[in-house]
Amino acid sequence: MRILTPRKKALYTLLLLISVCNINAQDQNITVNQDPKFEQLLNEKRKINASISVNDSYKIQIFSGKSDEAKKTLIDFKQEFKDIDATIIFNTPNYKVMVGNFKSRIEAEKNLVEIKRRYKNVFLIKPSK
């Protein structure tokens, strides 16, 4: 193992100090020009995301499986139950078809009985808070 002489130590220290003093990467300002419509789109997206929340209402899961079968189940459900909302949610590795947006458990259970007549493996999803 080599030991540095005091002369080399001083030289390396001096070079290190000079290089540190010359570094000024954070001195520049950046200006971003943004289209005003972009902010409108973001606000609309926030409104939509706030209204599509899985956690604040009861839902009924009618299917879990492959994408093609989930799409077919969703289409069939929407044709039969036109007044109940339905959507597909991807939860690795399955696609789940969730229906309804019920504010109370009683309302959800009433619809669950009706939906069970048509779909076999259905169950109620309770909101998590």
Side-chain angles (χ1 to χ4, degrees):
M1 187 150 122
R2 279 176 129 175
I3 299 176
L4 294 176
T5 63
R7 191 177 201 181
K8 285 187 180 180
K9 281 184 188 178
L11 179 64
Y12 289 138
T13 305
L14 182 63
L15 288 173
L16 180 66
L17 287 174
I18 291 171
S19 64
V20 168
C21 291
N22 288 331
I23 296 176
N24 54 5
Q26 302 296 325
D27 291 343
Q28 295 182 358
N29 292 329
I30 297 175
T31 304
V32 177
N33 295 325
Q34 177 177 304
D35 189 359
K37 290 182 181 180
F38 182 74
E39 192 64 36
Q40 289 176 324
L41 287 172
L42 278 178
N43 288 334
E44 290 297 319
K45 176 78 170 145
R46 288 179 188 128
K47 287 178 190 175
I48 291 170
N49 285 345
S51 67
I52 304 175
S53 177
V54 176
N55 294 333
D56 65 348
S57 61
Y58 289 88
K59 299 209 180 269
I60 299 171
Q61 180 176 318
I62 62 171
F63 177 80
S64 178
K66 296 180 181 177
S67 173
D68 295 338
E69 295 173 36
K71 289 176 186 173
K72 184 181 181 310
T73 304
L74 179 68
I75 291 168
D76 292 344
F77 181 84
K78 284 186 175 182
Q79 287 175 351
E80 191 168 340
F81 298 93
K82 293 182 170 119
D83 57 335
I84 300 176
D85 293 334
T87 187
I88 296 176
I89 297 172
F90 179 70
N91 193 352
T92 307
N94 294 320
Y95 290 84
K96 297 179 180 185
V97 179
M98 303 285 214
V99 301
N101 196 14
F102 309 109
K103 297 295 176 192
S104 69
R105 185 178 180 101
I106 294 170
E107 181 185 1
E109 287 179 353
K110 286 179 185 177
N111 285 290
L112 181 67
V113 171
E114 193 174 322
I115 292 170
K116 261 189 181 179
R117 293 181 189 146
R118 172 71 170 84
Y119 299 94
K120 304 295 182 215
N121 297 324
V122 300
F123 56 92
L124 188 62
I125 303 294
K126 182 179 172 183
S128 60
K129 293 186 180 184

PDB file of all heavy atoms in Angstrom, residues 11-35:
ATOM      1  N   LEU A  11      -1.285  18.892  -2.805  1.00  0.00           N
ATOM      2  CA  LEU A  11      -1.648  19.084  -4.205  1.00  0.00           C
ATOM      3  C   LEU A  11      -3.054  18.551  -4.484  1.00  0.00           C
ATOM      4  O   LEU A  11      -3.872  19.230  -5.099  1.00  0.00           O
ATOM      5  CB  LEU A  11      -0.619  18.394  -5.118  1.00  0.00           C
ATOM      6  CG  LEU A  11      -0.895  18.486  -6.615  1.00  0.00           C
ATOM      7  CD1 LEU A  11      -0.843  19.942  -7.078  1.00  0.00           C
ATOM      8  CD2 LEU A  11       0.091  17.631  -7.382  1.00  0.00           C
ATOM      9  N   TYR A  12      -3.345  17.347  -3.998  1.00  0.00           N
ATOM     10  CA  TYR A  12      -4.674  16.764  -4.209  1.00  0.00           C
ATOM     11  C   TYR A  12      -5.761  17.559  -3.491  1.00  0.00           C
ATOM     12  O   TYR A  12      -6.852  17.767  -4.006  1.00  0.00           O
ATOM     13  CB  TYR A  12      -4.704  15.304  -3.773  1.00  0.00           C
ATOM     14  CG  TYR A  12      -3.936  14.369  -4.693  1.00  0.00           C
ATOM     15  CD1 TYR A  12      -3.135  13.356  -4.178  1.00  0.00           C
ATOM     16  CD2 TYR A  12      -4.016  14.504  -6.072  1.00  0.00           C
ATOM     17  CE1 TYR A  12      -2.433  12.499  -5.008  1.00  0.00           C
ATOM     18  CE2 TYR A  12      -3.313  13.654  -6.912  1.00  0.00           C
ATOM     19  CZ  TYR A  12      -2.522  12.651  -6.377  1.00  0.00           C
ATOM     20  OH  TYR A  12      -1.844  11.821  -7.208  1.00  0.00           O
ATOM     21  N   THR A  13      -5.470  18.042  -2.314  1.00  0.00           N
ATOM     22  CA  THR A  13      -6.431  18.861  -1.573  1.00  0.00           C
ATOM     23  C   THR A  13      -6.709  20.157  -2.312  1.00  0.00           C
ATOM     24  O   THR A  13      -7.859  20.595  -2.422  1.00  0.00           O
ATOM     25  CB  THR A  13      -5.898  19.154  -0.156  1.00  0.00           C
ATOM     26  OG1 THR A  13      -5.588  17.926   0.487  1.00  0.00           O
ATOM     27  CG2 THR A  13      -6.918  19.901   0.663  1.00  0.00           C
ATOM     28  N   LEU A  14      -5.657  20.787  -2.831  1.00  0.00           N
ATOM     29  CA  LEU A  14      -5.816  22.019  -3.594  1.00  0.00           C
ATOM     30  C   LEU A  14      -6.653  21.790  -4.854  1.00  0.00           C
ATOM     31  O   LEU A  14      -7.557  22.576  -5.169  1.00  0.00           O
ATOM     32  CB  LEU A  14      -4.430  22.595  -3.965  1.00  0.00           C
ATOM     33  CG  LEU A  14      -4.446  23.913  -4.738  1.00  0.00           C
ATOM     34  CD1 LEU A  14      -5.068  25.009  -3.897  1.00  0.00           C
ATOM     35  CD2 LEU A  14      -3.051  24.273  -5.186  1.00  0.00           C
ATOM     36  N   LEU A  15      -6.389  20.703  -5.586  1.00  0.00           N
ATOM     37  CA  LEU A  15      -7.168  20.383  -6.785  1.00  0.00           C
ATOM     38  C   LEU A  15      -8.634  20.108  -6.436  1.00  0.00           C
ATOM     39  O   LEU A  15      -9.548  20.522  -7.159  1.00  0.00           O
ATOM     40  CB  LEU A  15      -6.556  19.177  -7.507  1.00  0.00           C
ATOM     41  CG  LEU A  15      -5.230  19.418  -8.221  1.00  0.00           C
ATOM     42  CD1 LEU A  15      -4.663  18.105  -8.745  1.00  0.00           C
ATOM     43  CD2 LEU A  15      -5.414  20.406  -9.354  1.00  0.00           C
ATOM     44  N   LEU A  16      -8.867  19.445  -5.325  1.00  0.00           N
ATOM     45  CA  LEU A  16     -10.237  19.157  -4.889  1.00  0.00           C
ATOM     46  C   LEU A  16     -10.983  20.450  -4.559  1.00  0.00           C
ATOM     47  O   LEU A  16     -12.134  20.642  -4.966  1.00  0.00           O
ATOM     48  CB  LEU A  16     -10.212  18.228  -3.674  1.00  0.00           C
ATOM     49  CG  LEU A  16     -11.569  17.843  -3.111  1.00  0.00           C
ATOM     50  CD1 LEU A  16     -12.336  16.992  -4.113  1.00  0.00           C
ATOM     51  CD2 LEU A  16     -11.421  17.108  -1.804  1.00  0.00           C
ATOM     52  N   LEU A  17     -10.337  21.366  -3.854  1.00  0.00           N
ATOM     53  CA  LEU A  17     -10.972  22.636  -3.506  1.00  0.00           C
ATOM     54  C   LEU A  17     -11.274  23.475  -4.739  1.00  0.00           C
ATOM     55  O   LEU A  17     -12.331  24.108  -4.831  1.00  0.00           O
ATOM     56  CB  LEU A  17     -10.089  23.425  -2.538  1.00  0.00           C
ATOM     57  CG  LEU A  17     -10.032  22.889  -1.118  1.00  0.00           C
ATOM     58  CD1 LEU A  17      -9.000  23.663  -0.290  1.00  0.00           C
ATOM     59  CD2 LEU A  17     -11.394  22.980  -0.475  1.00  0.00           C
ATOM     60  N   ILE A  18     -10.380  23.497  -5.695  1.00  0.00           N
ATOM     61  CA  ILE A  18     -10.603  24.266  -6.924  1.00  0.00           C
ATOM     62  C   ILE A  18     -11.777  23.686  -7.707  1.00  0.00           C
ATOM     63  O   ILE A  18     -12.629  24.422  -8.198  1.00  0.00           O
ATOM     64  CB  ILE A  18      -9.312  24.295  -7.783  1.00  0.00           C
ATOM     65  CG1 ILE A  18      -8.253  25.146  -7.087  1.00  0.00           C
ATOM     66  CG2 ILE A  18      -9.600  24.825  -9.182  1.00  0.00           C
ATOM     67  CD1 ILE A  18      -6.876  25.068  -7.733  1.00  0.00           C
ATOM     68  N   SER A  19     -11.845  22.371  -7.795  1.00  0.00           N
ATOM     69  CA  SER A  19     -12.948  21.765  -8.553  1.00  0.00           C
ATOM     70  C   SER A  19     -14.286  21.968  -7.854  1.00  0.00           C
ATOM     71  O   SER A  19     -15.308  22.154  -8.501  1.00  0.00           O
ATOM     72  CB  SER A  19     -12.679  20.280  -8.801  1.00  0.00           C
ATOM     73  OG  SER A  19     -12.648  19.575  -7.577  1.00  0.00           O
ATOM     74  N   VAL A  20     -14.304  21.945  -6.520  1.00  0.00           N
ATOM     75  CA  VAL A  20     -15.552  22.169  -5.777  1.00  0.00           C
ATOM     76  C   VAL A  20     -16.035  23.605  -5.972  1.00  0.00           C
ATOM     77  O   VAL A  20     -17.229  23.857  -6.115  1.00  0.00           O
ATOM     78  CB  VAL A  20     -15.354  21.831  -4.286  1.00  0.00           C
ATOM     79  CG1 VAL A  20     -16.520  22.326  -3.456  1.00  0.00           C
ATOM     80  CG2 VAL A  20     -15.187  20.334  -4.098  1.00  0.00           C
ATOM     81  N   CYS A  21     -15.149  24.548  -5.983  1.00  0.00           N
ATOM     82  CA  CYS A  21     -15.530  25.960  -6.155  1.00  0.00           C
ATOM     83  C   CYS A  21     -16.088  26.233  -7.555  1.00  0.00           C
ATOM     84  O   CYS A  21     -16.884  27.151  -7.739  1.00  0.00           O
ATOM     85  CB  CYS A  21     -14.336  26.864  -5.902  1.00  0.00           C
ATOM     86  SG  CYS A  21     -13.815  26.875  -4.171  1.00  0.00           S
ATOM     87  N   ASN A  22     -15.685  25.479  -8.538  1.00  0.00           N
ATOM     88  CA  ASN A  22     -16.138  25.709  -9.904  1.00  0.00           C
ATOM     89  C   ASN A  22     -17.452  25.008 -10.240  1.00  0.00           C
ATOM     90  O   ASN A  22     -18.004  25.233 -11.301  1.00  0.00           O
ATOM     91  CB  ASN A  22     -15.059  25.275 -10.900  1.00  0.00           C
ATOM     92  CG  ASN A  22     -13.892  26.230 -10.904  1.00  0.00           C
ATOM     93  OD1 ASN A  22     -14.076  27.415 -10.625  1.00  0.00           O
ATOM     94  ND2 ASN A  22     -12.724  25.730 -11.209  1.00  0.00           N
ATOM     95  N   ILE A  23     -17.929  24.177  -9.364  1.00  0.00           N
ATOM     96  CA  ILE A  23     -19.187  23.466  -9.630  1.00  0.00           C
ATOM     97  C   ILE A  23     -20.343  24.401  -9.275  1.00  0.00           C
ATOM     98  O   ILE A  23     -20.482  24.835  -8.137  1.00  0.00           O
ATOM     99  CB  ILE A  23     -19.268  22.161  -8.817  1.00  0.00           C
ATOM    100  CG1 ILE A  23     -18.174  21.211  -9.260  1.00  0.00           C
ATOM    101  CG2 ILE A  23     -20.642  21.535  -8.979  1.00  0.00           C
ATOM    102  CD1 ILE A  23     -18.106  19.940  -8.456  1.00  0.00           C
ATOM    103  N   ASN A  24     -21.189  24.693 -10.245  1.00  0.00           N
ATOM    104  CA  ASN A  24     -22.342  25.544 -10.007  1.00  0.00           C
ATOM    105  C   ASN A  24     -23.517  25.074 -10.866  1.00  0.00           C
ATOM    106  O   ASN A  24     -24.068  25.832 -11.642  1.00  0.00           O
ATOM    107  CB  ASN A  24     -22.007  27.013 -10.267  1.00  0.00           C
ATOM    108  CG  ASN A  24     -21.430  27.229 -11.659  1.00  0.00           C
ATOM    109  OD1 ASN A  24     -21.363  26.293 -12.451  1.00  0.00           O
ATOM    110  ND2 ASN A  24     -21.046  28.445 -11.952  1.00  0.00           N
ATOM    111  N   ALA A  25     -23.914  23.853 -10.693  1.00  0.00           N
ATOM    112  CA  ALA A  25     -24.964  23.253 -11.517  1.00  0.00           C
ATOM    113  C   ALA A  25     -26.357  23.772 -11.155  1.00  0.00           C
ATOM    114  O   ALA A  25     -27.284  23.649 -11.941  1.00  0.00           O
ATOM    115  CB  ALA A  25     -24.923  21.743 -11.383  1.00  0.00           C
ATOM    116  N   GLN A  26     -26.537  24.347  -9.985  1.00  0.00           N
ATOM    117  CA  GLN A  26     -27.857  24.760  -9.535  1.00  0.00           C
ATOM    118  C   GLN A  26     -28.146  26.238  -9.766  1.00  0.00           C
ATOM    119  O   GLN A  26     -29.082  26.777  -9.213  1.00  0.00           O
ATOM    120  CB  GLN A  26     -28.005  24.441  -8.046  1.00  0.00           C
ATOM    121  CG  GLN A  26     -27.803  22.985  -7.696  1.00  0.00           C
ATOM    122  CD  GLN A  26     -28.839  22.083  -8.318  1.00  0.00           C
ATOM    123  OE1 GLN A  26     -29.995  22.466  -8.445  1.00  0.00           O
ATOM    124  NE2 GLN A  26     -28.449  20.901  -8.735  1.00  0.00           N
ATOM    125  N   ASP A  27     -27.381  26.913 -10.580  1.00  0.00           N
ATOM    126  CA  ASP A  27     -27.536  28.348 -10.747  1.00  0.00           C
ATOM    127  C   ASP A  27     -28.500  28.772 -11.849  1.00  0.00           C
ATOM    128  O   ASP A  27     -28.771  29.946 -11.994  1.00  0.00           O
ATOM    129  CB  ASP A  27     -26.171  28.999 -11.020  1.00  0.00           C
ATOM    130  CG  ASP A  27     -25.275  28.959  -9.793  1.00  0.00           C
ATOM    131  OD1 ASP A  27     -25.814  28.736  -8.692  1.00  0.00           O
ATOM    132  OD2 ASP A  27     -24.062  29.153  -9.951  1.00  0.00           O
ATOM    133  N   GLN A  28     -29.033  27.857 -12.630  1.00  0.00           N
ATOM    134  CA  GLN A  28     -29.859  28.235 -13.770  1.00  0.00           C
ATOM    135  C   GLN A  28     -31.342  28.200 -13.413  1.00  0.00           C
ATOM    136  O   GLN A  28     -31.783  27.404 -12.604  1.00  0.00           O
ATOM    137  CB  GLN A  28     -29.591  27.306 -14.937  1.00  0.00           C
ATOM    138  CG  GLN A  28     -28.178  27.424 -15.459  1.00  0.00           C
ATOM    139  CD  GLN A  28     -27.943  26.525 -16.651  1.00  0.00           C
ATOM    140  OE1 GLN A  28     -28.822  25.789 -17.052  1.00  0.00           O
ATOM    141  NE2 GLN A  28     -26.763  26.597 -17.209  1.00  0.00           N
ATOM    142  N   ASN A  29     -32.117  29.081 -14.044  1.00  0.00           N
ATOM    143  CA  ASN A  29     -33.565  29.118 -13.892  1.00  0.00           C
ATOM    144  C   ASN A  29     -34.204  28.485 -15.112  1.00  0.00           C
ATOM    145  O   ASN A  29     -33.744  28.675 -16.239  1.00  0.00           O
ATOM    146  CB  ASN A  29     -34.064  30.559 -13.746  1.00  0.00           C
ATOM    147  CG  ASN A  29     -33.610  31.168 -12.445  1.00  0.00           C
ATOM    148  OD1 ASN A  29     -33.455  30.480 -11.452  1.00  0.00           O
ATOM    149  ND2 ASN A  29     -33.402  32.474 -12.460  1.00  0.00           N
ATOM    150  N   ILE A  30     -35.305  27.782 -14.890  1.00  0.00           N
ATOM    151  CA  ILE A  30     -36.027  27.144 -15.982  1.00  0.00           C
ATOM    152  C   ILE A  30     -37.426  27.728 -16.037  1.00  0.00           C
ATOM    153  O   ILE A  30     -38.107  27.842 -15.016  1.00  0.00           O
ATOM    154  CB  ILE A  30     -36.109  25.616 -15.772  1.00  0.00           C
ATOM    155  CG1 ILE A  30     -34.711  25.020 -15.788  1.00  0.00           C
ATOM    156  CG2 ILE A  30     -36.984  24.975 -16.832  1.00  0.00           C
ATOM    157  CD1 ILE A  30     -34.660  23.555 -15.471  1.00  0.00           C
ATOM    158  N   THR A  31     -37.870  28.104 -17.216  1.00  0.00           N
ATOM    159  CA  THR A  31     -39.204  28.633 -17.416  1.00  0.00           C
ATOM    160  C   THR A  31     -40.005  27.631 -18.244  1.00  0.00           C
ATOM    161  O   THR A  31     -39.565  27.204 -19.311  1.00  0.00           O
ATOM    162  CB  THR A  31     -39.148  29.974 -18.160  1.00  0.00           C
ATOM    163  OG1 THR A  31     -38.304  30.860 -17.425  1.00  0.00           O
ATOM    164  CG2 THR A  31     -40.525  30.574 -18.299  1.00  0.00           C
ATOM    165  N   VAL A  32     -41.184  27.242 -17.726  1.00  0.00           N
ATOM    166  CA  VAL A  32     -42.042  26.296 -18.424  1.00  0.00           C
ATOM    167  C   VAL A  32     -43.244  27.061 -18.961  1.00  0.00           C
ATOM    168  O   VAL A  32     -43.968  27.702 -18.209  1.00  0.00           O
ATOM    169  CB  VAL A  32     -42.515  25.167 -17.471  1.00  0.00           C
ATOM    170  CG1 VAL A  32     -43.455  24.225 -18.174  1.00  0.00           C
ATOM    171  CG2 VAL A  32     -41.327  24.423 -16.906  1.00  0.00           C
ATOM    172  N   ASN A  33     -43.447  26.995 -20.262  1.00  0.00           N
ATOM    173  CA  ASN A  33     -44.618  27.603 -20.890  1.00  0.00           C
ATOM    174  C   ASN A  33     -45.656  26.523 -21.077  1.00  0.00           C
ATOM    175  O   ASN A  33     -45.436  25.538 -21.773  1.00  0.00           O
ATOM    176  CB  ASN A  33     -44.244  28.227 -22.236  1.00  0.00           C
ATOM    177  CG  ASN A  33     -43.285  29.386 -22.060  1.00  0.00           C
ATOM    178  OD1 ASN A  33     -43.385  30.121 -21.089  1.00  0.00           O
ATOM    179  ND2 ASN A  33     -42.361  29.528 -22.982  1.00  0.00           N
ATOM    180  N   GLN A  34     -46.819  26.721 -20.453  1.00  0.00           N
ATOM    181  CA  GLN A  34     -47.860  25.699 -20.442  1.00  0.00           C
ATOM    182  C   GLN A  34     -49.142  26.254 -21.040  1.00  0.00           C
ATOM    183  O   GLN A  34     -49.540  27.377 -20.753  1.00  0.00           O
ATOM    184  CB  GLN A  34     -48.075  25.281 -18.984  1.00  0.00           C
ATOM    185  CG  GLN A  34     -49.160  24.281 -18.766  1.00  0.00           C
ATOM    186  CD  GLN A  34     -49.213  23.895 -17.305  1.00  0.00           C
ATOM    187  OE1 GLN A  34     -48.226  23.452 -16.754  1.00  0.00           O
ATOM    188  NE2 GLN A  34     -50.351  24.071 -16.693  1.00  0.00           N
ATOM    189  N   ASP A  35     -49.779  25.453 -21.851  1.00  0.00           N
ATOM    190  CA  ASP A  35     -51.048  25.829 -22.446  1.00  0.00           C
ATOM    191  C   ASP A  35     -52.113  25.929 -21.348  1.00  0.00           C
ATOM    192  O   ASP A  35     -52.216  25.037 -20.501  1.00  0.00           O
ATOM    193  CB  ASP A  35     -51.447  24.763 -23.480  1.00  0.00           C
ATOM    194  CG  ASP A  35     -52.649  25.164 -24.309  1.00  0.00           C
ATOM    195  OD1 ASP A  35     -53.195  26.260 -24.079  1.00  0.00           O
ATOM    196  OD2 ASP A  35     -53.030  24.382 -25.201  1.00  0.00           O
TER     197      ASP A  35
END
